[in-house]
Amino acid sequence: MRITLWGVRGSLPTPISSDIIEQKIKKALGLAKPGDIATPAAVEAFVSALPLSVRGTYGGNSTCIEVTSDSGELIIIDCGSGLKALGRKMMDRGFARGDSSASIFLTHTHWDHIQGIPFFLPFYIKGNRFSIYSPFPDIKARLDHQQVFTHFPVTLDQMEATKEFFFFRHDSELHLGDTRILCKRMPHPGGAFGYRIEENGRVFVFTSDCEFNINEVEHIDEYEDFFIGADVLIFDAQYTFKESIDKFDYGHSSASIAIDIAGRFKCRRLVLFHHEPDYDDEMLDDLLINARTYLAMKSTRIHDMEIDIAREGMEIQL
Ligand SMILES: [Zn+2]
Ligand SMILES: [Zn+2]
């Protein structure tokens, strides 16, 4: 399967400011030697070798993940503001004709996970078909509520694609072609759910918006079936360890607990996700460095595990 990250920011879409762009330009120019900018080719090579936090950004759009199975099923997990750009890409791929289909799995309905829907162009094209899965039985009403006339001029029903809603009970599984999908309840205010997607022996686990605090960790073995042996685990790491204590019950985890859980359940690659809106790119660089240091220090480390940090546009082939 192929996984593409269209939105990685937590809680609130966070556009990069003009001041920060200026700082990045100054930093890049400060690093350049005369030969680095002598020709267009030299500029290209110089810029592409700069760290992401200098030449670009981890991204400001809220949660949206695209998964394409080996058998060609298109699966979208969450519909945050990143959904808008995915929708444009889907239009280029055939959804503009109105004869295409996809499945959408929603973790929960906090705004940062659904706010891209009113701007999702494939929903406006008659003939497209979408299956929308959620463990919330009132999911249709929740999405309708976002598009009442006082909040948006077009209702969900006026978006002419066919949208079918399916109740997906937590701790149950369903199959789309050769893909097996498991749903698991996560600790988060108002409830949220994670998804484990398996195909051809490969495992992708996605759980954003989950708070594995000291109480939850006491019965972590209840999550074994969900996390075990993931080739890729995308996990909520919005807070530093200190913030996770100061913000007890806010609903998010830290990189250190993500590493503990990924290690315990023998996950191969951990991707830190749902970035704090107040964190700039340098702070996210630090988050990754600290996470890798913590992993290296862990005396209970029992296998090699990679740690990455999510960025918009990141693609993972499994
Ligand atoms: Zn969120
Ligand atoms: Zn949430």
Side-chain angles (χ1 to χ4, degrees), residues 178-235:
D178 294 333
T179 305
R180 171 182 181 261
I181 302 171
L182 180 71
C183 176
K184 185 82 178 172
R185 185 190 300 279
M186 290 291 134
H188 190 64
F193 298 84
Y195 294 104
R196 175 185 174 99
I197 301 178
E198 301 175 1
E199 186 186 36
N200 297 328
R202 310 297 283 174
V203 179
F204 168 46
V205 174
F206 178 82
T207 176
S208 180
D209 295 56
C210 55
E211 179 174 354
F212 282 87
N213 57 34
I214 196 153
N215 299 331
E216 203 62 33
V217 168
E218 275 186 12
H219 53 97
I220 193 67
D221 286 340
E222 292 173 17
Y223 293 87
E224 180 167 2
D225 288 352
F226 182 71
F227 287 118
I228 192 77
D231 294 288
V232 172
L233 168 62
I234 294 183
F235 196 101

Side-chain angles (χ1 to χ4, degrees), residues 108 110 112-113 188 209 252:
H108 63 318
H110 283 162
D112 54 318
H113 298 258
H188 190 64
D209 295 56
H252 301 287

Side-chain angles (χ1 to χ4, degrees), residues 9-12 62-63 78 107-108 110-113 188 208-209 236 238 252 274:
R9 187 67 56 169
S11 306
L12 184 73
S62 66
T63 303
D78 278 353
T107 60
H108 63 318
H110 283 162
W111 272 338
D112 54 318
H113 298 258
H188 190 64
S208 180
D209 295 56
D236 180 341
Q238 181 159 345
H252 301 287
H274 204 267

Side-chain angles (χ1 to χ4, degrees), residues 44-69:
E44 185 76 37
F46 170 70
V47 170
S48 64
L50 289 170
L52 175 67
S53 58
V54 179
R55 71 180 146 79
T57 180
Y58 287 97
N61 279 304
S62 66
T63 303
C64 181
I65 308 294
E66 175 192 12
V67 180
T68 307
S69 72

